[in-house]
Every structure is written in C-alpha cells, then in structure tokens.
C-alpha cells in the first residue's frame, strides 16, 4: 500500500496517480508474549503503519501499560473500547474469544451488577473509565458497539462532554 502511495503498482510499474492511503495496523495487548507483540508492533510501524488500533481493552492498568511501552512510537495508538453488556458477556469474552482478556476485578464488577439495564450501565461505566484513562495518557479511542447497540457506545462517549 505504501508503494501505491509512492506511485508504483504492485508489479513495479509507475502509476498515473499516487495512492492516498492511510495505513493502520492492529495490536493485541492480551497476548502471553507481550515483548514479542511490542517488537512486532515496532516492525509494523517500520514498514509503514500510520496508526495502530488495539483489540478492546477493559481496564485502566492495560491502558497505562500500553501508554508506557508505546510513548516513544511516532504514530498514534487508538485504544479499542467496547462496553460489556452483562456478567455472562464478560465471561464469554474472557474465556471463549481469542485475543480478549478481561481482568478479574472487571468481571467481578459485572457479576455484582447482575443483568439487564443495571449490568449495561456498569459496562458503560467501565468503558467510560477506560476512555478517560486513554485520553489522559494521550491515546485516542475508538468505540465498538456490542451487538450493534449503538446507544451503549453513545453513552460511553458522553463522558467526554
């Protein structure tokens, strides 16, 4: 893609016009080998990533760790924020979805919230805490509505007003 931006086709031939792509890359802060993940992140930037999107993050500690270990990088890191909808949702994401990790204390907060509207409000509160932490540490965020529940995503960003 960076080659297209330079005006060169995939076959190496010059193009009449240059591409105008902005290149993003993914980062998963929930892997066992974090050092390897950060090394790969550096390589993604070396080969042309203009920005980074993380997998969803559900706690301030992880955001702090990402901010500390990426402070030197020359591209913005956008923290993925996805509100949890219930204790069952938290357990499923933690145990069944590869690349996701929800801390024990966050899952406990969701368990205590019960279900229904109260659980959704707690999930939004957790997501708002993460959003504010990311903003304080200089990272941007992108919000992912769970189950297409856009109203929950809107509630998360209300904290920024």
């Amino acid at each position: 893609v960076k080659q297209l931006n330079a005006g060169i086709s995939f076959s190496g031939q010059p193009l009449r016009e240059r591409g105008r792509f902005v290149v993003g890359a993914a980062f998963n802060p929930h892997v066992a080998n974090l050092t390897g993940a950060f090394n790969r992140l550096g390589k993604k930037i070396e080969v042309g990533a203009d920005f980074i999107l993380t997998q969803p993050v559900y706690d301030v500690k992880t955001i702090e760790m990402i901010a500390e270990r990426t402070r030197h990088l020359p591209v913005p890191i956008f923290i993925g924020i996805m509100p949890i909808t219930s204790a069952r949702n938290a357990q499923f994401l933690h145990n069944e979805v590869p690349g996701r990790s929800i801390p024990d204390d966050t899952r406990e907060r969701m368990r205590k919230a019960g279900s229904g509207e109260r659980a959704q409000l707690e999930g939004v509160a957790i997501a708002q805490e993460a959003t504010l932490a990311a903003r304080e540490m200089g990272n941007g965020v992108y919000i992912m509505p769970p189950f297409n529940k856009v109203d929950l995503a809107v509630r998360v960003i209300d904290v920024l007003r």
Side-chain angles (χ1 to χ4, degrees):
V1 172
K2 289 294 189 175
Q3 185 174 310
L4 294 172
N5 284 349
I8 302 168
S9 73
F10 290 116
S11 64
Q13 300 300 312
L15 298 169
R16 280 185 262 141
E17 292 187 37
R18 293 174 179 242
R20 289 176 284 194
F21 296 100
V22 178
V23 180
F27 175 70
N28 186 355
H30 307 296
V31 296
N33 181 1
L34 263 175
T35 299
F38 280 107
N39 289 339
R40 282 188 304 283
L41 181 60
K43 289 179 179 159
K44 291 176 182 185
I45 294 167
E46 284 175 23
V47 298
D50 297 309
F51 66 94
I52 306 299
L53 299 174
T54 73
Q55 290 293 328
V57 176
Y58 302 95
D59 66 301
V60 173
K61 284 182 189 175
T62 302
I63 293 168
E64 290 171 345
M65 180 270 300
I66 293 167
E68 181 62 34
R69 293 188 69 174
T70 61
R71 198 172 315 282
H72 67 286
L73 296 177
V75 301
I77 311 290
F78 296 99
I79 304 293
I81 304 289
M82 186 176 82
I84 303 167
T85 59
S86 66
R88 184 175 176 201
N89 177 230
Q91 286 298 116
F92 179 81
L93 291 169
H94 182 74
N95 295 315
E96 305 297 331
V97 178
R100 303 276 175 96
S101 178
I102 301 176
D104 294 342
D105 59 332
T106 302
R107 285 183 281 132
E108 180 61 17
R109 282 177 66 179
M110 291 305 298
R111 187 192 66 72
K112 286 180 179 176
S115 60
E117 180 67 19
R118 187 167 167 216
Q120 287 185 1
L121 288 175
E122 188 64 23
V124 166
I126 292 165
Q128 287 176 331
E129 292 163 15
T131 298
L132 290 173
R135 181 176 72 173
E136 283 180 29
M137 292 171 208
N139 291 301
V141 298
Y142 69 103
I143 312 294
M144 294 171 265
F147 308 110
N148 290 321
K149 293 180 183 249
V150 176
D151 60 310
L152 295 182
V154 170
R155 289 183 196 174
V156 172
I157 61 173
D158 277 344
V159 76
L160 298 173
R161 293 178 195 216

